[in-house]
Each structure stands twice: as structure tokens, then as C-alpha cells.
């Protein structure tokens, strides 16, 4: 957060032990996994199966792209009709549902057809009024082949599908995966054994007191011969302490040629139940490629489950009892949902009650209150919604203009009339996916960090400054606006820095130190430092944040926008992407255990966190590609006993958004990590994304964490985070109290950060080790509470730079970075530089600035040894700028 003059605000492995833990974990769970949803009565039959079409538009849009499970790839046809796409399920199946995810070029007349031989077809669904978009079609039929036969198209182009999914199962096992271990007692072999006491057969004897272990080398494999070709639909691995950190599960019909059905580079100790792709095979093996210890690989038990065993009843799902899901979920008591029949008075009373409870409250800023107000499509009469801490206002339409609020969604200062009654502490609130007709022509959003505005249409002007700036309460410090349209002008007023991305505005007025725009139509020209505007015509890579909406049938869904490259302007009203029904999410609520949430993930569900706090005694692990982990109303995850709160495997397309992390009282090495250290897998086509994710070390608890976020996966998109070591909180803060070294460590290559806020950490606040990284907008304050210079000596002199690019990096670029100091505990403290980078032509910084707030402490240079001292004799709070470096 920011200080603003003239009144400073004090924002304020013993192996035996591990073996015992593994045995305990094994005794606590007997788990297997299906490959699709938690609803065991339905199986996704089509994914990865042979797919053909009448035509393809080009080599980049093949038929197989519609059945690959990747919503970023698609099939498209030639520009004529009729056209068809068909999938071979491999055997005759009972078909219960077909899901179509149309691209903009959709068919408005088509049939769903089945065939036993691929020649004679039977219609099981037909329409001449297809709406495009997401369609989930309940059908009744059977066949080996299923096709979509398009007879009329809605556009001048052909027809195009992001995904074509067929659900069902064989009549005797309708989507079920057996619960009998098909591998027990079957012939087993391995690449090696550690000794005669740990043979391969010990992992298939049903005895959890015996184990197989290998030689201490990579790779190693263990395989079982099931005796005949069967449909393999699930596995369970009970690892001893010497576990695999990376492995694949593979299936073969001959024991020679192998097909991967799952894999991970983020393996863990104990019972693991990786989701697999159901595949026919006689032989099944685990192929370990990386060990987590200096020993070999060791398994107590390796279980294999097939579709030929007893089917799973709807009340019992793999990984335990089936967790409940719904297309009309209960979002909990902290969420109010309005529709166009709700009176303005009812809405006004609800939003007033939430806001007024926070007025002049010393605990509101770090309280447990959470409020979400959701508006279904429609137009709403005069509503003036003041937005306080941990409050979200959002529309439930597919597009922002589906919800219109007349009045205001307002953020101002003056909520607390003490010394810090200004907007520099207007954190933790958000507005999303609606339109506003502002009363008086101008809407006000006077916020600082962790207060995003996304997918909003302001039908008038927008001001980002408080209304009371003339009476000494008018300071504001940093914010984020994306995928929005402002019909009028934006006035930034007292905002010291701001980042706007991929939007359209009529114009922009004002700017104090560091105003950054990328992909903003109507942005001011690049002119840094006078005025302080840094403007990029496009943003290199974007994927907008997933959002909740209600479809025409009244069912809840989450829309996941697609990747854009070199983007500009808002994505809507025709946002490309995919829609996920809420029945494919586990809706988490406060009180849910980490084990329950991990069970949901193991059952193939996405996660939707409702407002509240979540105490985690184990790490939440996301291992399935394309998993969506999102939340509304600032759900807050607090790790216990020093565990990591969230771990994302090095897989494609995971989306994490809308979460807040509070460090626990026992130090966590990291709060969240993405990928595996040392792994460099190409995710460029479908990167992991992190959006509106906020980290706190010290708030309502005296938290501790060495690093808050570690990004190992290549191509990750970091789109608006705030990592904050608290300078004030509901619990006392201080140099030895809420400790934290670094806010963000980037080890992946080709990582992009758009909107990076990191403050008050005790060592390097951002460390960038990966190559070809890019940052667009960086905001930082150095720690206020450095006790003395001797306590703060870095590797290269006094203090630690805020933004450190590692010496080995050869290619890196940053646009629009600000570093500020306010060494209030000891104004004699100095830091030698704000930015520290290797002197290479491939490492480039543009529009960087340092400021000593009130000249309380010194930043000697902006970048390396360039940029002059701050402060200097010229006067109070004088910025130093470097336009380009080198």
C-alpha cells in the first residue's frame, strides 16, 4: 500500500518418520479414480478417440481438435454445408448426453446421429434453431460412431467446434469403474529390485506391510500382467517414503508398446489416485522418471481398476463417497442474489447494511466479514452501492450489458475518520461483469491494491480519486482495470500509479507517477515521464478471468475465456471461450477440510470457493490439466503447521483466480507454487494463469512465509496479484513478527506478469530467474520497519532491490515500474537501488521510477548505478525516473 503526503500513514526427513506417515495415510484411505465427473452414472467416452470430418478449413483446425479435451483448440470445416464430424468410440456404447462447445461459426440446424458401422445413421437429436455457444443435449441412443451433421450454418464461414463430447457407458457398466483390484495376485515384473525382500510381486499381494523397491537410479518401472485385455479406468498408488516425484501410468496390449494414460511431475508421498484416460490394455505399469529421495522407488501397493468389475453406485464414487454437485448450487449465507423483480429498496437495504457495519470499525479491514451481491440479467432501478472491505458486486449475465445498474457502484474514502482516512487503504473489494449508468454522469472507484474492476461497462465517466481530496483525505494508490469499456473519460486524480489492460475508453485525464496502459483503445500516448504515461498498443498474451453466470435455463455456469495474443480492447460481447456447468465444480464452503477439497480434485472436479476463511492442514494439490480453481468474495486460505496452501502441477491450462492467502503462524516455505522446480515443459499453447490472487503475511494473524508465490512452469500468466507483507494489521506487525523474504520467485521461462504489486518483503521482493520474462506494470514499497542498516545488508550492498533479475538471465523486459521507500522505523536506512539487473542488451527496463516518500529514507539509484539519489536536496518526495535501461 502507499503512503501519501503530507500525512504519512503507517499501513501498518527422518525416513522412519516418513514411513510411519505413509502407512497412516494408507490406512486412512482406500481410493480409486474415474476420469471424468464425480457423477459415476456418466462417463466421457469420446475424448482422445479417433475423429474424422467431412472437411477441415486448414491443417490447424483438424477434426481431432474437437475431442482432445483442450478448449483452446478447435475443428472448423470448409465454408459450405452440409458438414459433419464423427467420433469412433471403439465399441457400441449407450449414449446419454452430447455436449457441444461451438466457436462463433456455429450450426443453427444439425442432427446428432449414431451408427453401429459408420455407414447407416440414426437421428437421436435434431434442431433447426440451434443457438450456438454451449449446448448440453440429453439424448437416448446407442452406437459405436456418433456424429454431428450440420445442415445450416449461422455465419458466412463453415462450422466450428471447440469441443464435441459424448457421454454414456456400456449397458452393464453405465459409466462405472470397478472397485475390485484387478492387479492383485497377478504376475508382476520390474526394471530392478533393491533386494530379495522387496520383490515386484509385493506391490500386488494385497498386503500393505510388504513393498516393492527398486535400485537407486532413474528411470525405473513396475508392471503387472492382467492376463487379458480389459478397459483400465483407475489406479491407486500407495507410495512408501521413497516415492516418485515424476512418473507416468502406462498401458499396453503386448507388453512392448506403451500408451501413457496419465502422468505427473508433482508426485507426492502416500496414497495417490491420479485421474487416468480409460484405455484398453493387458499390461499396466508405473514408469518412474524422477525420484523424490536419494533412494530408489518403493510402493506398498499398486492397484488397478477396470470397467469389467462391479459398477460404482451413484452414492459411492472413486476417492470416497461422491461429493455433491449441482447446476443450481447453494453459494452460502454471504452471497445475496437479486433479479429484476427485486425492488430497489430491498437491494439498497442489503448493500447499506453490509457497508454501514464497517464504518468507523477498527477491525473491518482485517475482519471475517464477506459480502457478495450478484445480479441476474436485467435492469435495476436507482441503487447506490457503497463497496467496503471483502465485498464483491458482480453481474450474472454472459456479458456486462446483460445487467444494468442505474445509480452507482461506489468506492470512496472517509470510512474511518482517523489519521488514515484516505483511499490508500481501500483494499480487498471488486466489481465485475455489469454495466452502470452513473448518477450524475460519473462513477467513482477510489481504490488501491487488491481491488480489481473487470468486464465492466461504465455508461458515462469514471473517476479513480476520492471525493474529499481537498480536506486532506484524498490520497489513493494503485489499482487495476481490465476488459472494460468506459464510454466517457477516466480521471485518475490522486492515483499515484494505475494499470489498465485490454479495454476501451474515450480518454484519460491525470497521472502522478506511474500510469501504464497495454491494449487500451483510447489510451494517452506514451510520454513517460512527463506526463507519466507508459503505453503499449497491445498486450502480448491474455486470458481473461473465469466468471460465474446464469444461462437461459436458469442454471449456473462458469465461463472460461480463451487465450488472446497481441490483444487490445475488451473481449465482449463475443468473448471466445468455453462454458463449464456448475455440476462439474465442487462448491467449497468455510469449514470444509483440506482432505475433502482434495477429494473433490481427485474426483475430477473443478473448485469454486464461496466467501469465508478456510483452514488447511494439508496442501491442496491440483494435478489435472485445465482445472479451474476460482472463488468469489475473497475466500481466504490459511495454511496450518507450515504447509503450503496450494500446489499446481506442471500441467496445461490450470486457471487460478479470486483467492486470498493468509500466511499461518508457523512459517511456510511457500504459500503457493506453480509447476515443478527444474521442469521446463512448453505450455505456450495453453498456459497456467493466475488472476486476482492476493497474498498476505500478517493481517488478522501474525503470519510467516519465506516466499509467497513460486512460479516454476514455463509460459505462466500472472495477471494481477498483490503480495503484501503487512505494515499494519489486526494483529501486531514488525521486523521479527510477520517475517517474509520474497513475494514472487519466477523460475519458469516465458512468464508474463501484467499488474504486479509486491510490497514490504525483507529481502529481494521479486526474483526473476527465468528467461524471456516480461512484466507490464510493477508497484512496490520497501519495508517500513527496517530497524537499522546493519540488519539490512544484501549481497550487493545496502538493502535489497525490489525487483531482481538474476545474473544468468539473458532476455527480460519490464515496462512501467515504481519503487518507493518510507523507512519510518529508521530514516537513516538506505537501499542502493530499486531495480537490480544484469547489464545485457537483452535485459531492458522502460519507464522506471523511485520515490522516497517524504524523504524518509534513501534509494540511492533507480536501476543498478543509474538514476541519481533519492532523496535529494531539491525537495520533498521528488521522483527519479529512468526512461530506458540500458
Amino acid at each position: 500500500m502507499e503512503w501519501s503526503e503530507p500525512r504519512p500513514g503507517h499501513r501498518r526427513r527422518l525416513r522412519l518418520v516418513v514411513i510411519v506417515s505413509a502407512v497412516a495415510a494408507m490406512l486412512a484411505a482406500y481410493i480409486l479414480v474415474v476420469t471424468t465427473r464425480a457423477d459415476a452414472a456418466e462417463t466421457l467416452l469420446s475424448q482422445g478417440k479417433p475423429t474424422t470430418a467431412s472437411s477441415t478449413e486448414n491443417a490447424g483446425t483438424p477434426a481431432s481438435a474437437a475431442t482432445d479435451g483442450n478448449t483452446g483448440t478447435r475443428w472448423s470445416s470448409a465454408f459450405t454445408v452440409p458438414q459433419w464430424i464423427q467420433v469412433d468410440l471403439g465399441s457400441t456404447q449407450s449414449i446419454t448426453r452430447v455436449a457441444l462447445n461451438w466457436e462463433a461459426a456455429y450450426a443453427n440446424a444439425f442432427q446428432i446421429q449414431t451408427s453401429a458401422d459408420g455407414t447407416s445413421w440414426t437421428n437421436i437429436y435434431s434442431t433447426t434453431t440451434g443457438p450456438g455457444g454451449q449446448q448440453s443435449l440429453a439424448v437416448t441412443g446407442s452406437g459405436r460412431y456418433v456424429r454431428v451433421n450440420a445442415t445450416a450454418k449461422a455465419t458466412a464461414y463453415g462450422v466450428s467446434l471447440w469441443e464435441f463430447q459424448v457421454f454414456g457407458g456400456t449397458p452393464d457398466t453405465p459409466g462405472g469403474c470397478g472397485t475390485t483390484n484387478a492387479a492383485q495376485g497377478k504376475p508382476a515384473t520390474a526394471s530392478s529390485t533393491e533386494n530379495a525382500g522387496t520383490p515386484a510381486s509385493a506391490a500386488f499381494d494385497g498386503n500393505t506391510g510388504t513393498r516393492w523397491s527398486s535400485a537407486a537410479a532413474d528411470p525405473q518401472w513396475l508392471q503387472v500382467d492382467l492376463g487379458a485385455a480389459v478397459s483400465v479406468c483407475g489406479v491407486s498408488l500407495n507410495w512408501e517414503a521413497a516415492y516418485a516425484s515424476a512418473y507416468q501410468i502406462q498401458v499396453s496390449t503386448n507388453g512392448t508398446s506403451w500408451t501413457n494414460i496419465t502422468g505427473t511431475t508433482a508426485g507426492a508421498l502416500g496414497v495417490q489416485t491420479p485421474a487416468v484416460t480409460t484405455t484398453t490394455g493387458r499390461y499396466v505399469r508405473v514408469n518412474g522418471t524422477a525420484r523424490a529421495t536419494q533412494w530408489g522407488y518403493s510402493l506398498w501397493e499398486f492397484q488397478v481398476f477396470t470397467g469389467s468389475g462391479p459398477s460404482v453406485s451413484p452414492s459411492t464414487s472413486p476417492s470416497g463417497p461422491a461429493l455433491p454437485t449441482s447446476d443450481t448450487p447453494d453459494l452460502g449465507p454471504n452471497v445475496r442474489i437479486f433479479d429484476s423483480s427485486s425492488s430497489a429498496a430491498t437491494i439498497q437495504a442489503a448493500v447499506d447494511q453490509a457497508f454501514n457495519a464497517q464504518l468507523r470499525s477498527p477491525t473491518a479491514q482485517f475482519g471475517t466479514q464477506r459480502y457478495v451481491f450478484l445480479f441476474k440479467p436485467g435492469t435495476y432501478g436507482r441503487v447506490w452501492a457503497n463497496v467496503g472491505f471483502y465485498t464483491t458486486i458482480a453481474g450474472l449475465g454472459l456479458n456486462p450489458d446483460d445487467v444494468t445498474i442505474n445509480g452507482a457502484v461506489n468506492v470512496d474514502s472517509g470510512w474511518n475518520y482517523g489519521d488514515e482516512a484516505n483511499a490508500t487503504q481501500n483494499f480487498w473489494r471488486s466489481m465485475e461483469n455489469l454495466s452502470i449508468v452513473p448518477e450524475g454522469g460519473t462513477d467513482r472507484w477510489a481504490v488501491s491494491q487488491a481491488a480489481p474492476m473487470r468486464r465492466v461497462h461504465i455508461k458515462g465517466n469514471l473517476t479513480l480519486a476520492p471525493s474529499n481530496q481537498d480536506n486532506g483525505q484524498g490520497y489513493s494508490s494503485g489499482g487495476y482495470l481490465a476488459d472494460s469499456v468506459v464510454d466517457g473519460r477516466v480521471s485518475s486524480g490522486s492515483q499515484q500509479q494505475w494499470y489498465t489492460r485490454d479495454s476501451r475508453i474515450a480518454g484519460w485525464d491525470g497521472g502522478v507517477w506511474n500510469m501504464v496502459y497495454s491494449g487500451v483503445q483510447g489510451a494517452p500516448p506514451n510520454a513517460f515521464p512527463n506526463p507519466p504515461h507508459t503505453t503499449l498498443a497491445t498486450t502480448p498474451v491474455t486470458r481473461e478471468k473465469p466468471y460465474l453466470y446464469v444461462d437461459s435455463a436458469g442454471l449456473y455456469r462458469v465461463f472460461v475465456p480463451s487465450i488472446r495474443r497481441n490483444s487490445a480492447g475488451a473481449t465482449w460481447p463475443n468473448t471466445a471461450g468455453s462454458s463449464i456447468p456448475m455440476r462439474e465444480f465442487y462448491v467449497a464452503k468455510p469449514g470444509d477440510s483440506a482432505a475433502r477439497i482434495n477429494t473433490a480434485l481427485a474426483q475430477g472436479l473443478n473448485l469454486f470457493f464461496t466467501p469465508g476463511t478456510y483452514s488447511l492442514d494439508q496442501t491442496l494439490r491440483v494435478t489435472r490439466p485445465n482445472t479451474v480453481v476460482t472463488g468469489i468474495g475473497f475466500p481466504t486460505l490459511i495454511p496450518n503447521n507450515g504447509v503450503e496452501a496450494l500446489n499446481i502441477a506442471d500441467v496445461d491450462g490450470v486457471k487460478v483466480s479470486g483467492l486470498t492467502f493468509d500466511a499461518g503462524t508457523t512459517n511456510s516455505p511457500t504459500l503457493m507454487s506453480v509447476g515443478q522446480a527444474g521442469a521446463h515443459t512448453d505450455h505456450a499453447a495453453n498456459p497456467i494463469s493466475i488472476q486476482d490472487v492476493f497474498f498476505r503475511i500478517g493481517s488478522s494473524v501474525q503470519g510467516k512465509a519465506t516466499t509467497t508465490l513460486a512460479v516454476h512452469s514455463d509460459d505462466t500468466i500472472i495477471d494481477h496479484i498483490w503480495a503484501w507483507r503487512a505494515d499494519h494489521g489486526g494483529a501486531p506487525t514488525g521486523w521479527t513478527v510477520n517475517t517474509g523474504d520474497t513475494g514472487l520467485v519466477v523460475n519458469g521461462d516465458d512468464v508474463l506478469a501484467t499488474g504486479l504489486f509486491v510490497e514490504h518483503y525483507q529481502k529481494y521482493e521479486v526474483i526473476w530467474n527465468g528467461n524471456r520474462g516480461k512484466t507490464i506494470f510493477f508497484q512496490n514499497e520497501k519495508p517500513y520497519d527496517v530497524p537499522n542498516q546493519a540488519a539490512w545488508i544484501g549481497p550487493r550492498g545496502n538493502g535489497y532491490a525490489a525487483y531482481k533479475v538474476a545474473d544468468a538471465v539473458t532476455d527480460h523486459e519490464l515496462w512501467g515500474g515504481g519503487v518507493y521507500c518510507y523507512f519510518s522505523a529508521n530514516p537513516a536506512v538506505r537501499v542502493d537501488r530499486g531495480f537490480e539487473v544484469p547489464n545485457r542488451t537483452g535485459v531492458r527496463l522502460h519507464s522506471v521510477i523511485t520515490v522516497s516518500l517524504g524523504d524518509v529514507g534513501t534509494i540511492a539509484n533507480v536501476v543498478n548505478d543509474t538514476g541519481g539519489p533519492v532523496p535529494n536536496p531539491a525537495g520533498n518526495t521528488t521522483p527519479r525516473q529512468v526512461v530506458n535501461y540500458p
Side-chain angles (χ1 to χ4, degrees):
M1 78 198 70
E2 292 302 324
W3 174 94
S4 296
E5 63 177 311
R7 182 168 54 203
H10 296 277
R11 297 175 294 177
R12 315 266 202 240
R13 158 187 120 95
L14 294 173
R15 191 174 187 186
L16 179 60
V17 173
V18 179
I19 291 171
V20 171
S21 299
V23 174
M26 176 276 300
L27 292 173
Y30 181 83
I31 304 171
L32 61 124
V33 160
V34 289
T35 64
T36 57
R37 296 169 33 212
D39 179 359
E42 182 178 71
T43 291
L44 176 56
L45 303 172
S46 53
Q47 190 162 311
K49 297 298 174 67
T51 307
T52 54
S54 52
S55 67
T56 57
E57 183 180 1
N58 55 60
T61 59
S64 59
T67 55
D68 61 1
N70 182 352
T71 55
T73 63
R74 64 185 176 93
W75 163 70
S76 60
S77 76
F79 294 1
T80 59
V81 286
Q83 298 288 341
W84 53 260
I85 182 171
Q86 73 181 47
V87 60
D88 179 356
L89 304 179
S91 62
T92 298
Q93 301 287 329
S94 175
I95 313 304
T96 59
R97 186 167 67 92
V98 172
L100 303 174
N101 181 3
W102 294 102
E103 194 249 359
Y106 67 94
N108 49 17
F110 63 91
Q111 302 88 43
I112 305 296
Q113 302 175 321
T114 63
S115 174
D117 56 9
T119 303
S120 301
W121 297 92
T122 300
N123 286 353
I124 59 173
Y125 176 87
S126 180
T127 184
T128 57
T129 58
Q134 301 287 318
Q135 293 185 268
S136 180
L137 308 173
V139 297
T140 301
S142 65
R144 171 175 174 170
Y145 303 88
V146 182
R147 78 175 180 181
V148 180
N149 184 47
T151 56
K153 54 194 179 78
T155 71
Y157 306 101
V159 292
S160 181
L161 282 163
W162 295 106
E163 281 295 294
F164 167 29
Q165 296 178 307
V166 179
F167 296 88
T170 57
D172 57 333
T173 57
C177 188
T179 58
T180 300
N181 178 14
Q184 187 166 322
K186 297 297 174 67
T189 53
S191 53
S192 67
T193 57
E194 183 180 7
N195 55 61
T198 58
S201 58
F204 303 98
D205 60 3
N207 182 351
T208 56
T210 63
R211 63 185 177 94
W212 161 74
S213 60
S214 77
D218 296 316
Q220 299 289 339
W221 52 260
L222 173 69
Q223 75 182 46
V224 62
D225 179 356
L226 302 179
V230 294
S231 180
V232 177
C233 56
V235 299
S236 176
L237 303 168
N238 184 2
W239 291 102
E240 192 250 0
Y243 65 95
S245 58
Y247 64 86
Q248 302 89 41
I249 303 298
Q250 302 174 321
V251 170
S252 174
T253 58
N254 57 15
T256 302
S257 301
W258 297 92
T259 299
N260 288 348
I261 61 172
T262 192
T264 183
T265 56
L269 174 69
V271 176
Q272 301 296 308
T273 58
V276 303
T277 300
T278 301
T279 304
T280 298
R282 171 175 173 171
Y283 304 87
V284 183
R285 78 175 181 181
V286 55
N287 184 47
T289 56
R291 292 166 291 143
T293 72
Q294 69 267 38
W295 296 295
Y297 300 85
S298 184
L299 279 162
W300 297 106
E301 281 295 293
F302 178 15
Q303 298 177 317
V304 178
F305 303 97
T306 73
S308 60
S311 63
V312 180
S313 69
S315 63
T316 304
S317 166
S319 297
L323 296 179
T325 65
S326 173
D327 282 335
T328 55
D330 176 11
L331 299 179
N334 297 322
V335 179
R336 290 287 305 272
I337 302 173
F338 304 110
D339 59 32
S340 55
S341 68
S342 304
S343 70
T346 297
I347 299 170
Q348 191 67 55
V351 295
D352 284 349
Q353 182 181 24
F355 182 76
N356 292 338
Q358 302 184 41
L359 288 176
R360 293 173 294 281
S361 169
T363 62
Q365 190 173 162
F366 301 98
T368 60
Q369 79 280 358
R370 300 289 189 273
Y371 305 103
V372 176
F373 300 103
L374 301 178
F375 293 79
K376 290 185 177 181
T379 299
Y380 295 83
R382 200 270 187 188
V383 174
W384 189 281
N386 287 307
V387 184
F389 291 106
Y390 311 106
T391 301
T392 293
I393 308 285
L396 287 173
L398 185 59
N399 291 299
D401 286 339
D402 294 341
V403 174
T404 300
I405 293 178
N406 291 278
V409 177
N410 181 71
V411 178
D412 206 344
S413 61
W415 50 268
N416 177 2
Y417 296 108
D419 288 341
E420 297 179 304
N422 58 58
T424 62
Q425 293 184 44
N426 281 355
F427 313 138
W428 307 308
R429 60 200 77 198
S430 64
M431 172 166 50
E432 184 173 354
N433 198 35
L434 49 76
S435 66
I436 304 169
V437 179
E439 189 171 293
T442 300
D443 199 67
R444 187 178 304 278
W445 190 254
V447 299
S448 291
Q449 289 76 35
M453 179 188 292
R454 290 181 181 267
R455 290 181 65 83
V456 171
H457 187 183
I458 306 293
K459 298 180 177 181
N461 300 312
L462 174 65
T463 183
L464 306 175
S467 60
N468 53 0
Q469 53 189 328
D470 294 335
N471 64 12
Q473 296 182 331
Y475 311 114
S476 47
S477 173
Y480 175 93
L481 172 67
D483 200 22
S484 293
V485 172
V486 180
D487 291 345
R489 299 187 68 82
V490 181
S491 172
S492 59
S494 60
Q495 284 288 347
Q496 296 162 341
Q497 59 271 314
W498 190 277
Y499 177 51
T500 307
R501 181 182 63 70
D502 292 272
S503 296
R504 186 178 76 246
I505 62 177
W508 189 285
D509 300 317
V512 177
W513 291 330
N514 183 34
M515 320 306 286
V516 181
Y517 318 83
S518 68
V520 179
Q521 297 163 342
N526 187 73
F528 185 90
N530 187 25
H533 299 303
T534 302
T535 303
L536 290 75
T538 62
T539 308
V541 185
T542 58
R543 175 196 280 136
E544 299 301 337
K545 177 185 170 186
Y547 61 93
L548 184 68
Y549 76 101
V550 177
D551 67 14
S552 59
L555 304 180
Y556 287 81
R557 308 179 71 93
V558 171
F559 193 87
V560 182
S562 296
I563 288 284
R564 298 201 298 170
R565 302 187 187 278
N566 299 314
S567 57
T571 63
W572 46 275
N574 296 310
T575 307
S578 59
S579 178
I580 306 175
M582 281 300 288
R583 66 176 176 273
E584 296 183 12
F585 284 82
Y586 177 68
V587 177
K589 296 181 180 178
D592 278 350
S593 68
R596 183 175 177 86
I597 296 170
N598 274 328
T599 295
L601 290 167
Q603 292 179 358
L605 294 170
N606 303 292
L607 294 181
F608 190 99
F609 286 89
T610 60
T613 58
Y614 296 77
S615 180
L616 306 177
D617 59 359
Q618 61 180 252
T619 301
L620 304 183
R621 296 188 179 275
V622 179
T623 62
R624 181 174 60 87
N626 300 307
T627 301
V628 176
V629 179
T630 191
I632 56 173
F634 299 86
T636 304
L637 312 185
I638 307 176
N640 296 328
N641 303 317
V643 303
E644 182 180 61
L646 181 63
N647 181 284
I648 310 299
D650 190 39
V651 296
D652 275 353
V654 175
K655 297 98 181 165
V656 181
S657 62
L659 301 180
T660 299
F661 294 78
D662 270 351
T665 55
T666 301
N667 186 76
S668 292
T670 54
L671 294 182
M672 175 179 169
S673 62
V674 177
Q676 181 186 19
H680 286 285
T681 305
D682 185 0
H683 299 293
N686 188 14
I688 296 168
S689 55
I690 306 166
Q691 299 175 289
D692 296 349
V693 174
F694 311 124
F695 303 90
R696 306 189 297 202
I697 299 181
S699 57
S700 57
V701 295
Q702 292 178 317
K704 297 176 175 65
T706 305
T707 299
T708 48
L709 174 62
V711 175
H712 307 295
S713 289
D714 290 356
D715 308 293
T716 300
I717 300 170
I718 306 169
D719 179 38
H720 190 221
I721 69 165
W722 183 32
W724 183 58
R725 176 181 166 263
D727 58 288
H728 70 287
T733 60
W735 190 250
T736 61
V737 178
N738 58 315
T739 55
D741 286 358
T742 301
L744 171 66
V745 175
V746 177
N747 295 321
D749 293 336
D750 303 292
V751 172
L752 171 67
T754 52
L756 181 55
F757 300 75
V758 184
E759 297 188 300
H760 305 309
Y761 287 81
Q762 294 171 295
K763 294 184 178 179
Y764 290 122
E765 308 209 32
V766 172
I767 302 174
W768 208 293
N769 297 312
N771 258 312
R772 298 178 301 279
K774 291 181 172 65
T775 294
I776 304 173
F777 183 88
F778 171 66
Q779 185 259 322
N780 168 264
E781 276 189 359
K782 302 308 297 170
Y784 290 172
D785 54 350
V786 182
N788 53 65
Q789 196 67 63
W792 205 48
I793 299 295
R796 295 188 176 173
N798 293 315
Y800 293 81
Y803 193 98
K804 165 68 174 176
V805 179
D807 295 347
V809 171
T810 59
D811 192 322
H812 186 90
E813 197 158 11
L814 176 149
W815 294 265
V819 177
Y820 316 110
C821 76
Y822 180 70
F823 296 128
S824 57
N826 188 338
V829 169
R830 61 182 282 142
V831 59
D832 287 344
R833 57 195 63 85
F835 299 84
E836 186 176 299
V837 304
N839 284 309
R840 292 191 175 94
T841 56
V843 179
R844 304 170 299 281
L845 307 183
H846 314 282
S847 306
V848 288
I849 182 174
T850 59
V851 181
S852 177
L853 303 167
D855 288 347
V856 180
T858 299
I859 304 177
N861 290 283
V862 178
V863 52
N864 293 350
D865 298 323
T866 299
V870 175
N872 73 98
N876 189 50
T877 313
T878 302
R880 284 289 179 266
Q881 300 104 343
V882 171
V883 177
N884 292 292
Y885 186 93

